[in-house]
Amino acid sequence: MAEGKLRYGFTTGSCAAAAAKAGAYMLFTGGIKDSISIETPKGITFNAEIINIEKTWDRVKCGVVKDGGDDPDVTTGLVIYAEVSKNDDGHIRITGGDGVGLVTRPGLDQQVGNHAINSVPREMIEKEVREVISFCDPDCGVDVIISAPGGDEVAKKTFNPRLGIQGGISILGTSGIVEPMSMEAIIETIKVELRQRKAEGNEIISVSPGNYGLEFMHREYGFDLDQSVKCSNFIGITWDMIKELEIKKVLLVGHSGKLSKVAGGIMNTHSKEADGRMEIIAAHSILKGLPLEDVKRILNSNTTDEAFSLLEEKGIMREVGDSMVERIMYYLDKRVQGEIQMECVMFSKELGLLGKSKGAEEYIEEIKRANNHE
């Protein structure tokens, strides 16, 4: 890999497939395999070291150390094990063991009650194991148990508890490799949450960039912001996914630091993508009659809280906030071509409510009623 380029790693799915292939090889040949190669769905070869081999006449268990490369992956360092044993029905059955989570809520890749070993890793495991069987005993089947000791503790640092995956990590990966700071992984997590909320029958889905403002929403509306789908900076892409999933009603709740950008049509609110917060607030302030000298003060503000504090002094904070909320909804409606009904609340941690759409409180109450009936 070129100097200075971030090093990619391999997914838990790739580790599980490599361990399963090595286990099958040792089970059927009687030999020892301390390294093995598999081809990932991305087309990149994974040369895996096989460790902690336990071998008897009817079963083999071995492991591969998870290496996430230069990505800050909490599963890096875990040993992903595969225990392989023969069966007589010719099938390859894959299940989970210690440290691999169980699915307890609908809308995920696996059905409720299954271990969280996703479809692509299952396909990888079956492909690699079948390759061994085809050479050794084509009519035989195997049972494969994937485990990750310590995965229950590591999973607490992931989205798994929030998604309803209990007791361990997920065996994941669509490409087989881990790309450093993968935007794709974040977006896929957002989509999983959206799909899950729809599968659970939620009529209105709440979306928020994050948990900033949790206390305000509790105090003002008795609303648990933590239950919202977290879209991070990817508001535009989230709305695309909402449209794709045919979710019809959405409540957007967020701090002015993020939502001010959306009021200017900015759909990725990361600071490296775009800013314009003060210019957007200033433009709406002019519409509400703020004198030029004060507009200049808005433009020189360091934070949206500072800008809105000035507007509060001038008595037009809510007017400007409501105007910006209206524009937020305009741009998001344009993004999805009018196919989603939406409401919006914009707030400041210091100043409280800045603006809201006409039907926002109705949506909040409906979401609260739905949550109370769960």
Side-chain angles (χ1 to χ4, degrees):
M1 190 168 293
E3 185 177 352
K5 187 175 180 180
L6 291 175
R7 183 174 62 90
Y8 58 75
F10 292 91
T11 62
T12 48
S14 290
C15 295
K21 183 179 184 178
Y25 177 89
M26 289 186 275
L27 180 67
F28 281 91
T29 67
I32 294 294
K33 197 75 172 169
D34 56 13
S35 66
I36 205 152
S37 296
I38 67 166
E39 185 175 347
T40 64
K42 188 86 170 181
I44 295 172
T45 299
F46 178 28
N47 299 307
E49 180 185 357
I50 306 302
I51 65 169
N52 300 347
I53 298 168
E54 300 174 13
K55 186 171 174 290
T56 66
W57 68 272
D58 65 344
R59 59 176 283 278
V60 174
K61 184 177 181 180
C62 59
V64 172
V65 178
K66 169 65 164 57
D67 179 5
D70 288 329
D71 189 70
D73 186 336
V74 296
T75 62
T76 290
L78 278 181
V79 181
I80 309 299
Y81 285 94
E83 180 179 319
V84 185
S85 57
K86 295 180 183 180
N87 66 49
D88 297 326
D89 59 20
H91 293 110
I92 296 174
R93 288 191 291 266
I94 302 164
T95 189
D98 179 29
V100 175
L102 275 171
V103 176
T104 64
R105 291 173 61 185
L108 298 175
D109 181 273
Q110 293 295 299
Q111 294 182 352
V112 172
N114 285 357
H115 282 93
I117 305 172
N118 278 10
S119 299
V120 173
R122 286 178 185 272
E123 291 167 5
M124 292 171 66
I125 293 166
E126 181 162 355
K127 171 181 173 290
E128 299 299 338
V129 169
R130 198 166 291 286
E131 181 181 309
V132 174
I133 295 173
S134 65
F135 285 107
C136 299
D137 189 350
D139 296 325
C140 190
V142 296
D143 296 325
V144 181
I145 302 172
I146 303 300
S147 60
D152 53 342
E153 286 300 314
V154 171
K156 294 174 183 177
K157 304 173 186 177
T158 72
F159 281 101
N160 276 14
R162 180 183 179 86
L163 295 175
I165 299 170
Q166 301 296 328
I169 63 165
S170 300
I171 305 301
L172 297 171
T174 54
S175 66
I177 67 167
V178 178
E179 299 186 52
M181 302 300 289
S182 172
M183 183 178 78
E184 179 185 348
I186 298 171
I187 292 170
E188 181 58 28
T189 299
I190 298 168
K191 189 169 186 178
V192 165
E193 283 209 63
L194 289 170
R195 191 188 309 121
Q196 188 174 66
R197 300 301 170 86
K198 183 180 180 183
E200 291 174 336
N202 290 279
E203 293 294 324
I204 301 173
I205 292 177
S206 173
V207 174
S208 176
N211 276 343
Y212 195 67
L214 190 69
E215 293 177 7
F216 162 74
M217 289 302 293
H218 266 303
R219 184 176 66 250
E220 189 77 9
Y221 297 110
F223 183 82
D224 189 356
L225 192 64
D226 188 49
Q227 297 301 311
S228 296
V229 174
K230 300 302 179 291
C231 66
S232 185
N233 294 300
F234 306 108
I235 292 178
I237 292 173
T238 298
W239 250 247
D240 294 342
M241 292 188 290
I242 289 168
K243 178 182 175 182
E244 178 189 337
L245 293 168
E246 298 183 346
I247 295 166
K248 297 302 182 185
K249 293 183 178 181
V250 183
L251 173 69
L252 175 62
V253 182
H255 186 270
S256 57
K258 296 289 186 186
L259 296 197
S260 292
K261 297 181 183 183
V262 185
I266 297 168
M267 293 292 151
N268 183 331
T269 59
H270 196 288
S271 56
K272 73 176 183 180
E273 296 291 333
D275 195 348
R277 291 167 299 160
M278 302 314 158
E279 290 83 354
I280 293 163
I281 296 171
H284 285 269
S285 301
I286 292 168
L287 287 174
K288 299 303 175 183
L290 190 69
L292 180 59
E293 286 305 309
D294 291 321
V295 172
K296 290 178 181 178
R297 290 173 62 193
I298 294 286
L299 289 169
N300 288 324
S301 296
N302 291 318
T303 65
T304 57
D305 280 347
E306 183 182 344
F308 275 103
S309 292
L310 172 61
L311 295 174
E312 185 182 37
E313 289 174 17
K314 300 300 176 180
I316 59 170
M317 182 182 77
R318 279 295 305 276
E319 289 181 62
V320 171
D322 286 343
S323 176
M324 290 174 63
V325 164
E326 185 178 331
R327 207 62 180 164
I328 289 166
M329 293 175 64
Y330 165 81
Y331 281 116
L332 290 174
D333 186 68
K334 186 176 179 182
R335 177 93 179 195
V336 294
Q337 300 173 319
E339 293 188 22
I340 298 169
Q341 299 175 50
M342 67 187 83
E343 301 293 343
C344 179
V345 174
M346 182 173 70
F347 59 82
S348 158
K349 190 175 180 181
E350 294 182 9
L351 301 167
L353 183 65
L354 301 178
K356 65 180 179 181
S357 58
K358 290 180 180 179
E361 289 195 25
E362 182 182 336
Y363 271 30
I364 288 171
E365 291 304 315
E366 191 168 336
I367 292 170
K368 285 164 59 178
R369 284 194 298 272
N371 288 341
N372 288 336
H373 288 134
E374 287 181 354

